[in-house]
Amino acid sequence: MSGSGFSAIKVSEHVWWVGAVDWALRDFHGYSTQRGSTYNAYLVMGEYPVLIDTVKAPFRDEMLARVASVANPADVKVIVSHHAEMDHSGALPQVIDIIKPDKVYASQMGVKNLAAQFHDSHDITAVKDSETLKLGGQSFTFLETRMLHWPDSMISYLHEDELVFSQDGFGMHLATPKLFADENDPAVLLDEGRRYFANILLPYSPLVLKLLERIQSLGISIKTIAPDHGPVWRKDLGTLLGWYAKWATQKPENRAVVAYDTMWQSTATMARSIADGLRDGGSDVAVMPMNCMTRSDVMSELLCAGAFLVGTPTINNTIFPTLADVLAYARGLKPKNLIGAAFGSYGWSGEACAQVEATLREMGVELALPALKLRFVPDGAALGQSREFGRAIAAKLRERTGS
Ligand SMILES: Cc1cc2nc3c(=O)[nH]c(=O)nc-3n(C[C@H](O)[C@H](O)[C@H](O)COP(=O)(O)O)c2cc1C
Ligand SMILES: [Fe+2]
Ligand SMILES: [Fe+2]
């Protein structure tokens, strides 16, 4: 592909964006990406060009065309791979074969993980944590960010441009023609930034807080944060850093997530009465029918919630599949500081609620009330009980959040 179809976009004095926008992406390893995504790669133009990360394999030629719009790809002498996951390294083996760089760098774990994924003979050099290298006349300092969110993850600081290549950190799945965050709708940035944090980074929240402290202690000036997904931040960096500090702390808010599904509407009716009870008690509530919402929607709402209510009918002695899915996913992402409860309708054996409670306990969710189980179709009194259940949860939320 020649360079004419795609071009690079200038980010800072030496840095150009040479990534790809994936408008069609709706499922990123089980995370529903409602607004698509981008795979950001960057070219640092110095004495010779340095390529920072690559893209998902099918976008290889688009990335190379963007590179070709500012430099001869054959002149790229160095590639830095910050993360071995396929959305950034998928094109790497072929790009190495095409460009033939003198050196490819990755973190120590990156060298191992790239080898375990590609099983090829490419020679990749490890950089150490805190190591500073002059590449193409520009100074890069590398910081390992193990388990943020893979063992191989690292970020780097380009001293000359006061720019952080932050990899998946500070990223979001958002396809947009506007490269810079300040050109995009702030409400969309908040929504997608939060969604990304909740679905990818949440289990590693303590490491996020440590990284924020480490960056602070380095005393470096940061003008630009250039992540590998979504927009580049050149203004309002305090807003972005503030979001991360808040999300990683997971302070519960006076807000409940009510996730449920239903076969014949009984559990759905209970969910609606419970939501009314929560509202009566002064709590905000996200009502989430799982026939039309995704596990990623639930995680995004849970990030700033204080209560997690799970409603399921009993089906064949167990939990309804959509809720089993939500619970399996949420358990892995380890949300903290939540109270919770189960509710639902059943016909005869009614095992589902106890199974939900067992999982909530395993997740460290504090059970605020015993499950509310109702047989078959709830009558007026039963719905009154459901509404009371919502009010009681709201009272507990108020106690915990002081609001
Ligand atoms: C396919 C199917 C399997 C069911 N299996 C059970 C069961 O194993 N144990 C039970 O207590 N109820 C079972 N039920 C009854 C439902 O739990 C009951 O009808 C309940 O009121 C449905 O609530 P919903 O209207 O929220 O779907 C089953 C119902 C269906 C349709
Ligand atoms: Fe990743
Ligand atoms: Fe990624």
Side-chain angles (χ1 to χ4, degrees):
M1 197 185 287
S2 81
S4 58
F6 300 98
S7 44
I9 302 174
K10 190 154 191 176
V11 170
S12 60
E13 192 183 345
H14 301 96
V15 178
W16 295 76
W17 176 83
V18 292
V21 182
D22 189 349
W23 294 97
L25 185 78
R26 287 295 178 272
D27 182 345
F28 185 87
H29 61 48
Y31 164 168
S32 61
T33 46
Q34 54 196 4
R35 292 186 174 102
S37 192
T38 71
Y39 314 110
N40 299 336
Y42 300 93
L43 202 63
V44 182
M45 299 292 286
E47 287 156 15
Y48 53 81
V50 174
L51 179 61
I52 304 294
D53 293 320
T54 66
V55 290
K56 210 175 187 178
F59 295 92
R60 178 201 64 200
D61 289 346
E62 182 173 334
M63 185 197 82
L64 288 173
R66 293 192 201 277
V67 170
S69 73
V70 282
N72 179 353
D75 292 340
V76 174
K77 290 210 176 125
V78 169
I79 303 177
V80 177
S81 167
H82 285 84
H83 179 22
E85 197 169 1
M86 305 291 193
D87 47 337
H88 312 293
S89 68
L92 182 63
Q94 288 183 326
V95 168
I96 295 174
D97 292 341
I98 294 165
I99 288 180
K100 300 188 175 49
D102 293 346
K103 280 270 186 200
V104 180
Y105 292 103
S107 67
Q108 300 175 72
M109 287 303 296
V111 172
K112 290 183 191 162
N113 284 359
L114 286 168
Q117 291 194 77
F118 296 113
H119 306 292
D120 57 24
S121 56
H122 292 121
D123 183 22
I124 302 187
T125 306
V127 289
K128 292 195 198 75
D129 185 42
S130 295
E131 187 169 347
T132 298
L133 289 180
K134 272 255 186 247
L135 303 174
Q138 314 283 316
S139 307
F140 293 79
T141 298
F142 297 95
L143 300 182
E144 276 186 353
T145 51
R146 284 190 189 209
M147 295 320 298
L148 270 179
H149 67 121
W150 272 22
D152 48 72
S153 302
M154 68 172 182
I155 62 174
S156 62
Y157 179 65
L158 175 61
H159 292 255
E160 285 75 8
D161 290 21
E162 301 186 350
L163 178 148
V164 174
F165 293 111
S166 63
Q167 227 297 304
D168 280 340
F170 304 110
M172 63 184 73
H173 287 309
L174 173 61
T176 165
K178 295 164 183 154
L179 180 62
F180 296 100
D182 52 274
E183 300 169 326
N184 285 274
D185 179 348
V188 171
L189 296 176
L190 176 59
D191 186 37
E192 292 300 340
R194 184 179 74 153
R195 195 175 174 86
Y196 191 90
F197 191 98
N199 282 278
I200 303 280
L201 299 174
L202 185 62
Y204 313 111
S205 290
L207 298 178
V208 170
L209 291 174
K210 278 201 188 131
L211 178 65
L212 293 176
E213 276 170 27
R214 187 172 179 199
I215 290 173
Q216 182 109 43
S217 72
L218 291 175
I220 49 176
S221 155
I222 301 173
K223 274 199 196 136
T224 305
I225 295 181
D228 272 3
H229 297 288
V232 171
W233 293 72
R234 60 182 176 186
K235 290 184 186 165
D236 306 324
L237 301 193
T239 302
L240 180 64
L241 294 167
W243 288 348
Y244 265 57
K246 174 180 146 77
W247 296 333
T249 312
Q250 292 186 65
K251 186 164 175 270
E253 292 179 16
N254 188 355
R255 178 175 167 73
V257 172
V258 180
Y260 69 94
D261 213 330
T262 192
M263 297 183 287
W264 292 108
Q265 297 305 316
S266 292
T267 308
T269 315
M270 290 174 77
R272 295 203 300 273
S273 290
I274 290 171
D276 266 25
L278 282 156
R279 189 186 56 192
D280 294 343
S283 294
D284 194 6
V285 54
V287 179
M288 313 199 74
M290 293 314 302
N291 67 311
C292 60
M293 294 202 177
T294 67
R295 57 179 90 99
S296 324
D297 297 330
V298 173
M299 286 317 300
S300 189
E301 292 294 341
L302 268 184
L303 183 61
C304 297
F308 184 24
L309 307 189
V310 179
T312 171
T314 297
I315 174 167
N316 302 322
N317 309 105
T318 192
I319 303 173
F320 197 76
T322 49
L323 277 312
D325 176 307
V326 164
L327 285 169
Y329 189 62
R331 187 174 51 196
L333 288 164
K334 303 184 178 65
K336 296 271 182 297
N337 306 326
L338 290 169
I339 59 172
F343 66 92
S345 175
Y346 70 103
W348 45 97
S349 52
E351 294 91 339
C353 281
Q355 292 170 12
V356 169
E357 286 184 322
T359 306
L360 290 176
R361 264 193 223 103
E362 248 178 68
M363 289 169 63
V365 174
E366 184 187 318
L367 293 179
L369 290 176
L372 179 64
K373 280 173 64 179
L374 299 175
R375 201 161 105 79
F376 282 124
V377 179
D379 59 10
L383 289 180
Q385 241 181 303
S386 303
R387 189 164 175 180
E388 266 317 313
F389 187 80
R391 286 188 184 134
I393 297 282
K396 302 245 178 198
L397 266 176
R398 235 187 357 260
E399 245 171 59
R400 279 172 78 94
T401 59
S403 59

